[in-house]
Amino acid sequence: GNSVTQMEGPVTLSEEAFLTINCTYTATGYPSLFWYVQYPGEGLQLLLKATKADDKGSNKGFEATYRKETTSFHLEKGSVQVSDSAVYFCAPGGTSYGKLTFGQGTILTVHP
Amino acid sequence: DTGVSQDPRHKITKRGQNVTFRCDPISEHNRLYWYRQTLGQGPEFLTYFQNEAQLEKSRLLSDRFSAERPKGSFSTLEIQRTEQGDSAMYLCASSRAGTGATEAFFGQGTRLTVV
């Protein structure tokens, strides 16, 4: 089955800093790749996705590029805000019916 | 579209008791998943339904766990003879059928505490 190695946290940044959260995976075939986010007190929600090699997913200023050759899907944002403080999960999807395999999550805290 | 709804949000039970959780998916979604999340970890897959058919069960799902999705709508997850190790957040998600992985929408979860 799939597996995910996600950058360990917690990550603490000042507002407007650059963010990178690394994610590498092993999978059978070429799965869709997802980043989910969990804000304090809320449920998991999709942040962005990419469905094939070299695709770039983007949302809310976050970006991640599907790199087949390095089996990576690193999350980046050029200028973080306090409101980005949350837990971020990298997750490859199964190639058949969408079962997700989550990384352990990276806690991001952004200070003013 | 009210999203994925889970009930109850919190459950405290004594060891050895049975508990049942309910999940109401988004109405037009025919895929339904259950995950379990413990503190500091990512969610772990438990089981998957396509309409009313349970198509995959994780090895994490011991004989004490059973899930149903009658009529392909809401789903229930029952844990019999609960143990302290069952304490976790139980998450339900739903998605549309499609080629490969489509976006899954998650409920807010049921937090189970076994004392």
Side-chain angles (χ1 to χ4, degrees), chain A residues 36 46 89 97 99-100 102-103, chain B residues 31 33 35 42 56 103-104:
Chain A
Y36 277 80
L46 179 67
F89 295 93
Y97 55 80
K99 178 175 76 173
L100 295 167
F102 287 89
Chain B
R31 292 178 172 175
Y33 316 82
Y35 292 84
E56 185 174 345
E103 178 181 353

Side-chain angles (χ1 to χ4, degrees), chain B residues 29-99:
Chain B
H29 288 181
N30 55 3
R31 292 178 172 175
L32 187 146
Y33 316 82
W34 285 97
Y35 292 84
R36 181 171 67 187
Q37 185 178 18
T38 53
L39 199 62
Q41 300 298 316
E44 296 174 293
F45 171 79
L46 292 179
T47 191
Y48 162 69
F49 289 86
Q50 173 93 10
N51 300 311
E52 67 275 10
Q54 188 174 21
L55 297 185
E56 185 174 345
K57 291 171 59 173
S58 164
R59 283 171 286 182
L60 293 174
L61 220 61
S62 75
D63 291 346
R64 297 184 298 104
F65 288 71
S66 63
E68 295 182 339
R69 193 183 182 195
K71 304 178 184 177
S73 56
F74 72 92
S75 176
T76 59
L77 178 67
E78 181 183 16
I79 308 174
Q80 296 182 325
R81 305 181 303 282
T82 52
E83 302 172 355
Q84 286 190 319
D86 298 331
S87 296
M89 178 75 85
Y90 290 84
L91 299 170
C92 177
S94 70
S95 69
R96 300 174 192 274
T99 303

Side-chain angles (χ1 to χ4, degrees), chain A:
Chain A
N2 296 350
S3 66
V4 181
T5 300
Q6 190 174 332
M7 174 177 166
E8 290 190 21
V11 174
T12 303
L13 295 173
S14 298
E15 209 164 23
E16 300 184 4
F18 183 83
L19 168 70
T20 299
I21 301 177
N22 291 337
C23 171
T24 58
Y25 66 92
T26 58
T28 304
Y30 302 106
S32 295
L33 301 175
F34 301 85
W35 276 98
Y36 277 80
V37 59
Q38 193 167 34
Y39 296 104
E42 298 185 18
L44 276 167
Q45 54 188 273
L46 179 67
L47 179 60
L48 54 83
K49 68 177 183 180
T51 57
K52 61 184 187 295
D54 300 325
D55 264 5
K56 178 183 284 187
S58 61
N59 186 28
K60 300 181 180 180
F62 290 88
E63 295 182 338
T65 301
Y66 191 139
R67 300 290 188 198
K68 187 178 69 173
E69 62 279 6
T70 55
T71 61
S72 65
F73 194 53
H74 305 321
L75 183 68
E76 296 182 335
K77 186 173 186 181
S79 176
V80 294
Q81 305 301 310
V82 172
S83 57
D84 294 326
S85 297
V87 185
Y88 292 82
F89 295 93
C90 180
T95 52
S96 57
Y97 55 80
K99 178 175 76 173
L100 295 167
T101 301
F102 287 89
Q104 78 272 26
T106 301
I107 299 172
L108 171 66
T109 303
V110 181
H111 292 298

